[in-house]
Amino acid sequence: MSVEATPLGQDQLAKYPLVIIKPTRGWRLLDLKELWEYRELIYFLTLRDIKVRYKQTLIGIGWAILQPLGMMLVFTIFFGTLAKIPSEGVPYPLFVYTALLPWQLFSKSISESSQSLITDQRLITRVYFPRLIVPLSSVLAGLLDFAIGLLLLAGLMVLYGVIPTVGIAFIPLLVLLMLAVALGIGFWLSALNLEYRDVQYVVPFLNQFWLFITPVVYGSSMIPQQWRIVYALNPMVGVIEGFRWALLSAGECPGLLLAVSGGIAFALLVSGVMFFRRRERTFVDAVG
């Protein structure tokens, strides 16, 4: 049996809307309305990334606790016990874990969002959707690990008898600041990685280097006062110090550090979105 296609007449064609898809031009900002229309796709890609992350593992989601817990123990032995780095009156394990929690979310977000377009190259060559969704869902998937890690932090605070102050109300704002930094860098690296695979070799080094210029194993109080503003150009400085102040009342309110870090985070996010949207027209060609 054969089926012959019958061309549609002008009357029949008039019944259907005409959709013309054109490549984007120039610099474009974030289109929140378009992202909202694809909110279900964001949800399913985020859920998929969570499932894939712990697929065929023995302890599954338990890695969300074991990884920061293991790093906390190692840092406590080497930096807290042997090097005796000051922890601003807070027990060193709690001091370092409070910083490791946002740091690990940031580090994973950069690593996975930078690879996201390559992982989903089949998807982006077959159907149209806002490409920003791909690195965005990679970053959002890390929030589950972060939430589970918060439970362990609450247990450590109870163990050491630390009571949070009203500053805890600022935690959602600090998380948003951290996500803005992670998304901004993720948009830059994912777009660059699609054309220059060197990026995948740079990201692990970048994560290690960034860890030691961020006050994770030490406090920013060890930085000379005249260099604090320059130090805050690293946007994770304000995030880490903000977490310690809000949860542990460690040190003074890092208002100036947060202001500088917030400005850098905003610049990274806006420039990342604009660069990503300018390059997205070439993504399919770059995948080949």
Side-chain angles (χ1 to χ4, degrees), residues 226-262:
Q226 65 269 28
W227 292 104
R228 298 275 176 85
I229 300 298
V230 177
Y231 188 53
L233 294 177
N234 170 4
M236 285 303 291
V237 170
V239 173
I240 299 292
E241 289 301 317
F243 264 79
R244 283 183 176 139
W245 169 77
L247 291 171
L248 310 177
S249 300
E252 299 177 354
C253 176
L256 184 58
L257 295 180
L258 282 171
V260 176
S261 296

Side-chain angles (χ1 to χ4, degrees), residues 31 126 143 183 280:
D31 189 344
R126 292 184 178 180
L143 286 174
L183 283 171
E280 67 181 349

Side-chain angles (χ1 to χ4, degrees), residues 68-69 72 92-101 149-150 152-153 156:
L69 186 62
M72 180 195 75
Y92 192 84
L94 188 57
F95 178 81
V96 75
Y97 185 83
T98 306
L100 276 172
L101 201 55
L150 278 177
L152 179 59
L153 176 61
L156 287 173

